Amino acid sequence: MKKHNFSAGPCILPQEVMKKASEAVIELDGIGLSLIEISHRSKEFIGIMENARSLVLELMGLEGKGYQALFLQGGASTEFLMTAYNLLEKKAGYTNTGAWSAKAIKEAKLFGEVIELASSADKNFNYIPKGYAIPTDLDYLHITSNNTIFGTQIKKFPKTNVPLVCDMSSDIFSRQLDFSQFDLIYAGAQKNMGPAGTTLVVIKEDILGKVSRQIPSMLDYKVHIGKDSMFNTPPVFPIYVSMLTLQWLKDLGGIAAIEKINDKKARLIYSEVELNPLFKGFAAVEDRSNMNATFTLTDDALKDSFEAMCKEAGINGVNGHRSVGGYRASMYNALPLESVGTLVDVMSELERTA
Ligand SMILES: *Cc1c(COP(=O)(O)O)cnc(C)c1O
């Protein structure tokens, strides 16, 4: 039986996408060949790449606005250094809102001055800092829209005239935003789009070409744009699956439609966390994430029974990250509302029987 999959990443993908993807590994669209044995320069794969890239811009409402979508490799972790390599000439501003932003800061420091404009480290990253000043002479401001480990999410993005770079790995395509407020968005595929192995980069072309250093070709966004995201052999399978997921999202009604479902899932879990005296939310209420809900038991003695009940109900992947403890329910786009319902039933059952 298929489990209720709350895994934080890699994570659940739509069932129909996985079915189509598995079929394409045997034979792609009746062409007598597998997706993974054809040239990336074949007309079939070029079609897949073009479709994936244009679906990204279409879903984000960025068509004709000077943006390019790239499917790269090396994960979001490579973007930590690549963004700085391509954009950091003198100094950049970063907000430190969790483990991933701390890693981004560490990499950027190899390329120039990094100013930490705000941090929530004082409370183990359980909130989003607000109201910090943004110098106007920065090369860019880097933020993390959703802090996967801690379960916090930016609801209102900073207004600034400097280029805005956003690590959107764990909430991309989950809610409607004015995506044109960002100049560069990156996201590892494995949280809301596809299997691990490709990284989506959406970039406003006119922010490039402003640093004086030489950039190695593989790390140069301009090179990848010039080659239509095919500078070298792209990871064909994760890109194909990402394309199928983006198509699934479009058929569902796009980001507006998924946002409604995501809101319902989040309301369901958080209302249980609030009403059930056995549980306590980790993140500040106004900043809590619609993708990753973090919470703990108020009585540690109930740990074994709660976890046994989860297992019995077919619930997978709710253990919290070691730096937070407790539990984390990741509710990415493909997670059905019923799965959250099952988890909430287990939580209220625990209250009845404890
Ligand atoms: C998972 C994650 C990363 C790391 O992604 P990789 O693809 O493993 O390098 C970076 N940032 C955020 C916000 C994440 O959730």
Side-chain angles (χ1 to χ4, degrees):
M1 197 193 75
K2 182 77 185 165
K3 292 194 171 158
H4 298 287
N5 188 5
F6 291 89
S7 174
C11 60
I12 188 165
L13 290 171
Q15 276 300 114
E16 61 191 83
V17 165
M18 287 198 269
K19 184 161 181 297
K20 271 192 211 156
S22 65
E23 286 164 5
V25 170
I26 305 298
E27 183 181 3
L28 177 67
D29 300 337
I31 66 168
L33 292 163
S34 161
L35 163 73
I36 58 174
E37 67 177 354
I38 57 171
S39 167
H40 59 292
R41 309 273 175 209
S42 62
K43 72 173 187 327
E44 286 82 9
F45 189 75
I46 289 174
I48 290 164
M49 178 64 102
E50 282 176 1
N51 194 16
R53 295 177 75 204
S54 67
L55 278 166
V56 167
L57 298 183
E58 184 186 339
L59 286 163
M60 290 183 159
L62 289 177
E63 285 167 311
K65 293 187 177 166
Y67 287 81
Q68 293 276 350
L70 301 171
F71 285 90
L72 305 180
Q73 298 185 61
S77 299
T78 296
E79 298 315 308
F80 296 160
L81 69 101
M82 208 163 152
T83 45
Y85 220 139
N86 283 261
L87 303 174
L88 179 47
E89 178 80 1
K90 287 204 174 72
K91 64 179 173 183
Y94 278 68
T95 58
N96 183 12
T97 56
W100 295 118
S101 42
K103 288 185 177 174
I105 289 169
K106 176 170 182 260
E107 299 302 303
K109 283 182 174 164
L110 299 171
F111 298 93
E113 187 187 347
V114 170
I115 309 174
E116 200 177 288
L117 298 177
S119 168
S120 49
D122 59 334
K123 291 186 178 167
N124 196 21
F125 303 110
N126 79 347
Y127 71 102
I128 298 287
K130 299 166 197 81
Y132 49 89
I134 303 166
T136 52
D137 61 344
L138 299 174
D139 294 324
Y140 61 90
L141 167 64
H142 180 285
I143 55 175
T144 310
S145 56
N146 185 72
N147 298 284
T148 325
I149 293 172
F150 303 92
T152 61
Q153 186 176 36
I154 299 180
K155 306 294 173 179
K156 206 163 163 262
F157 288 89
K159 290 250 173 299
T160 171
N161 292 326
V162 307
L164 188 57
V165 175
C166 186
D167 176 359
M168 222 177 261
S169 290
S170 54
D171 68 349
I172 194 156
F173 301 119
S174 73
R175 54 176 170 165
Q176 284 183 290
L177 293 172
D178 171 11
F179 289 97
S180 70
Q181 69 190 298
F182 306 100
D183 296 274
L184 194 155
I185 296 166
Y186 63 86
Q190 71 274 16
K191 308 264 169 59
N192 230 353
M193 193 172 66
T198 189
T199 319
L200 174 63
V201 175
V202 179
I203 186 164
K204 197 166 190 199
E205 245 182 299
D206 67 10
I207 66 166
L208 295 174
K210 297 187 178 160
V211 291
S212 50
R213 72 173 63 85
Q214 296 273 304
I215 305 173
S217 309
M218 265 302 275
L219 299 178
D220 189 340
Y221 291 124
K222 276 192 150 180
V223 168
H224 290 287
I225 291 170
K227 297 289 183 187
D228 297 325
S229 201
M230 292 253 223
F231 171 66
N232 72 324
T233 315
V236 295
F237 184 72
I239 293 169
Y240 179 70
V241 183
S242 298
M243 183 208 79
L244 293 178
T245 310
L246 295 167
Q247 189 63 54
W248 167 84
L249 182 54
K250 182 180 167 182
D251 294 344
L252 200 83
I255 297 178
I258 203 75
E259 181 176 26
K260 285 205 185 94
I261 302 169
N262 289 336
D263 281 347
K264 269 194 198 157
K265 292 187 286 187
R267 271 202 301 274
L268 188 57
I269 188 88
Y270 286 122
S271 69
E272 181 64 23
V273 168
E274 267 169 25
L275 295 174
N276 189 325
L278 301 184
F279 293 94
K280 190 167 165 286
F282 172 78
V285 170
E286 61 176 5
D287 303 322
R288 62 195 179 187
S289 166
N290 278 9
M291 291 283 101
N292 314 94
T294 45
F295 52 91
T296 52
L297 277 166
T298 47
D299 177 2
D300 265 349
L302 293 171
K303 184 174 184 288
D304 289 346
S305 12
F306 178 57
E307 290 175 13
M309 286 164 71
C310 283
K311 198 167 175 222
E312 177 67 26
I315 289 168
N316 172 68
V318 289
N319 274 333
H321 190 272
R322 62 189 177 283
S323 51
V324 176
Y327 302 94
R328 169 174 53 171
S330 296
M331 305 174 290
Y332 297 117
N333 284 354
L335 184 84
L337 181 62
E338 300 81 74
S339 289
V340 183
T342 302
L343 176 59
V344 163
D345 286 347
V346 168
M347 292 163 79
S348 48
E349 176 72 12
L350 184 72
E351 188 192 355
R352 266 197 304 280
T353 56

